[in-house]
Amino acid sequence: MTRRDAARNWQHIVDTGRAFLDEDRPLRLNEVAREASIGVATVYRHFPTPETLLEVLARPGLEKLVAKAETALREEDEWAAFAGFLAAGIDAQLADPAIQPVYAAATHELPETTELVDRLNALTAELLAWVRAAGRIRPGVEHVDVIRLMCGVVFAATVHARPTERPTLTRRYLDVVLEGLASHDASRRRDQN
């Protein structure tokens, strides 16, 4: 097999895996191989586990979130930057079902996935520290709280809701969460100025 054939097979496996996720089907490598009309051994050579394939599928979305966080840290208003990043994270989870399980996994198959998740965690913590230093978030809110709340918003908006309703519901629930996270002392100080 030529290098070009191997690259073509790899891409076809990735595209087939993406179709499985988009159709809310379990990512089983034998089924991916059958649907892609590629030998099972070839699929396992490229992706030894379903998690490996899932991580490859999640990578572009995670990279976009890292870029969004980096951009947010250059904005002028810390609260708008923080809220905008959280909204982007929710949108990413709605758009790509690979992101949440890969981000939430305790360990990763690929070192580049670990690097991306670590970078995203560091940037999220930096955004949180920025709003905390400005007195814009209630005391005691930790990085893990923010992550869990964002996952909760997505879960709440997807349970018993049609896909067309989900973007509106996530925005509504995010607004509620942000109102709860905001330091009301900081709001009063801004109103008095």
Side-chain angles (χ1 to χ4, degrees):
M1 177 181 292
T2 68
R3 196 174 281 178
R4 181 177 289 177
D5 290 335
R8 193 175 314 126
N9 282 341
W10 184 92
Q11 188 60 55
H12 191 51
I13 295 163
V14 169
D15 292 343
T16 303
R18 172 57 60 199
F20 270 59
L21 287 185
D22 291 345
E23 295 164 8
D24 200 25
R25 294 165 59 191
L27 204 57
R28 295 189 178 103
L29 295 181
N30 288 2
E31 292 175 22
V32 169
R34 185 172 38 258
E35 191 150 318
S37 299
I38 293 175
V40 172
T42 300
V43 171
Y44 277 91
R45 190 168 38 256
H46 287 290
F47 302 99
T49 65
E51 292 79 17
T52 306
L53 178 54
L54 190 65
E55 288 178 25
V56 168
L57 292 169
R59 186 181 306 145
L62 291 170
E63 288 170 344
K64 286 179 187 171
L65 282 175
V66 165
K68 174 63 180 167
E70 291 170 342
T71 300
L73 284 165
R74 292 190 298 272
E75 292 181 20
E76 288 186 27
D77 182 287
E78 63 280 335
W79 186 257
F82 180 69
F85 172 70
L86 296 183
I90 285 171
D91 290 345
Q93 290 178 67
L94 284 179
D96 186 350
I99 289 178
Q100 192 175 46
V102 168
Y103 183 73
T107 60
H108 299 101
E109 300 286 314
L110 303 170
E112 54 268 29
T113 305
T114 301
E115 290 170 16
L116 266 174
V117 169
D118 288 350
R119 179 74 179 133
L120 190 55
N121 279 329
L123 290 165
T124 305
E126 202 172 329
L127 279 164
L128 180 59
W130 188 26
V131 293
R132 183 179 292 125
R136 304 280 304 267
I137 196 163
R138 67 175 45 216
V141 175
E142 299 298 328
H143 175 255
V144 69
D145 300 324
V146 174
I147 300 303
R148 289 177 179 158
L149 286 168
M150 293 308 96
C151 291
V153 165
V154 172
F155 179 77
T158 56
V159 172
H160 306 299
R162 291 187 300 274
T164 55
E165 298 173 314
R166 292 172 183 169
T168 303
L169 288 173
T170 54
R171 286 293 189 261
R172 191 165 92 205
Y173 298 158
L174 177 59
D175 287 345
V176 171
V177 168
L178 287 170
E179 178 63 28
L181 288 173
S183 169
H184 296 287
D185 291 340
S187 299
R188 281 195 289 275
R189 281 196 301 270
R190 279 196 319 278
D191 291 343
Q192 291 170 352
N193 290 335

